[in-house]
Amino acid sequence: MSVDEFSVLFQIIQNFSVTNLRKDFDISKLYTSKLNGTRKKKIKEFFLRYLSNLKEEGKIQEQVLFPLQSESNPNRLIYISDLNPERLVEPFVIFEVLQLNFVE
C-alpha cells in the first residue's frame, strides 16, 4: 500500500470512527502544494474507489453532498457512480447508512 493510499484509507477510517452519520471530507487537506498533479489525481482516485466499495457494501448512501455549490459542482447531490476526480475539488459529505437489528 502506498503512502497516498494509506492516507486516504486512514482519513476514511478516522471519519467512520465517530458516531455521527454525516462524514465530512476535504481531500485537499491530504496533500500539500508540493505534490504534483498526478499524485493529487491518484489520491482522488483512491477516494473514489473506497467510496464505491462502501456504497456496494451498503455502508453509505448512494449520493455525495457538496455543501458549497460552485461552477465546478453546480449539482449539490451527485451519485457516487457519477463522481470523477475532477469533481473532488471541494469539500464533500457522505452519509453512513444506519443499520438496525432488532432482537425478538
Side-chain angles (χ1 to χ4, degrees):
M1 180 179 291
S2 70
V3 172
D4 294 336
E5 185 175 5
F6 177 79
S7 297
V8 168
L9 190 56
F10 183 77
Q11 185 176 21
I12 290 171
I13 291 170
Q14 191 175 33
N15 277 4
F16 273 82
S17 297
V18 297
T19 57
N20 191 353
L21 295 178
R22 177 185 170 127
K23 312 299 181 188
D24 293 278
F25 291 94
D26 186 357
I27 293 177
S28 66
K29 291 183 179 178
L30 282 179
Y31 47 73
T32 64
S33 59
K34 296 177 185 179
L35 291 182
N36 63 29
T38 304
R39 280 188 68 193
K40 289 178 183 179
K41 184 176 180 182
K42 198 69 173 166
I43 287 171
K44 292 175 185 179
E45 289 171 351
F46 287 135
F47 253 100
L48 291 175
R49 187 177 75 201
Y50 283 115
L51 290 181
S52 293
N53 290 346
L54 288 168
K55 181 187 74 79
E56 288 174 15
E57 293 175 8
K59 304 290 184 191
I60 61 174
Q61 297 291 325
E62 293 183 10
Q63 292 180 315
V64 173
L65 170 68
F66 288 90
L68 307 173
Q69 192 170 4
S70 69
E71 290 179 25
S72 62
N73 284 320
N75 299 321
R76 294 189 67 198
L77 284 174
I78 298 176
Y79 285 97
I80 291 174
S81 58
D82 294 334
L83 283 176
N84 57 41
E86 292 76 32
R87 291 196 186 239
L88 300 181
V89 294
E90 50 189 72
F92 62 93
V93 178
I94 60 173
F95 293 92
E96 187 174 1
V97 172
L98 181 62
Q99 298 177 355
L100 298 174
N101 293 324
F102 295 101
V103 179
E104 294 183 27

